[in-house]
């Protein structure tokens, strides 16, 4: 299951609509907005951290953040779908 599929499923549950082009439009908008914000914020944050620490610490912090997000996504999204079957 991709992130966009998860967003579409979440929007469907939130809006209470089974199938609609509007759902795909809203989910695509949320996905593209989050992606764009990440492309803007990540280099700024990485540059700021790299200025005040060294490059190694910056990479370690980013790796820990990414691994934490992946673990939360796995526990909240993927694991429950395995137990539903």
């Amino acid at each position: 299951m991709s992130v966009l599929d998860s967003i579409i499923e979440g929007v469907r549950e939130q809006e209470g609509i089974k199938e609609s082009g509007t759902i795909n439009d809203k989910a695509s908008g949320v996905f593209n907005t989050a992606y764009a914000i990440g492309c803007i914020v990540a280099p700024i944050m990485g540059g700021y951290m790299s200025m005040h620490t060294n490059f190694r610490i910056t990479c370690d912090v980013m790796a820990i953040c990414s691994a934490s997000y992946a673990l939360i996504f796995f526990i909240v999204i993927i694991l429950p779908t395995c137990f539903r079957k």
Side-chain angles (χ1 to χ4, degrees), residues 3-30:
V3 175
L4 185 56
D5 292 337
S6 299
I7 293 171
I8 290 173
E9 185 177 317
V11 171
R12 280 187 188 148
E13 290 174 5
Q14 185 72 24
E15 296 291 326
I17 303 170
K18 293 191 181 210
E19 280 296 325
S20 173
T22 306
I23 292 174
N24 293 339
D25 293 343
K26 285 182 180 181
S28 179
V30 168

Side-chain angles (χ1 to χ4, degrees), residues 3 7 26-42 69:
V3 175
I7 293 171
K26 285 182 180 181
S28 179
V30 168
F31 180 76
N32 288 328
T33 300
Y35 186 80
I37 289 172
C39 287
I40 293 169
V41 171
Y69 177 75

Side-chain angles (χ1 to χ4, degrees), residues 1 9 13 76-85:
M1 176 181 275
E9 185 177 317
E13 290 174 5
V76 173
I77 302 296
I78 304 296
L79 222 55
T81 60
C82 294
F83 291 118
R84 279 190 225 159
K85 296 179 183 178

